[in-house]
Amino acid sequence: MCAVRETARPATDWDHCHTHGLIRGPLCGSCNTMEGQGKEFLARPGSLQHLLQ
Ligand SMILES: [Zn+2]
């Protein structure tokens, strides 16, 4: 399932840190796309916690 809890959707991608190559967790396609676009993603409950992992 997507690690950003608001959505409760099946995950489609492993989100990873582009600087270090570490896996943060599973994300659905919607969150994965939004994450690259910035502030709207940060408004989703659970997104900040996800990024800090
Ligand atoms: Zn999601």
Side-chain angles (χ1 to χ4, degrees):
M1 298 300 284
C2 176
V4 178
R5 285 177 289 278
E6 180 193 28
T7 53
R9 272 187 289 221
T12 57
D13 297 284
W14 285 107
D15 180 39
H16 65 279
C17 170
H18 289 265
T19 308
H20 301 100
L22 299 171
I23 303 285
R24 283 192 202 101
L27 281 185
C28 67
S30 163
C31 287
N32 199 35
T33 303
M34 277 178 87
E35 191 193 67
Q37 295 168 352
K39 65 179 198 276
E40 263 188 80
F41 178 75
L42 295 178
R44 290 193 168 185
S47 64
L48 268 181
Q49 244 183 335
H50 168 74
L51 289 175
L52 292 171
Q53 285 188 52

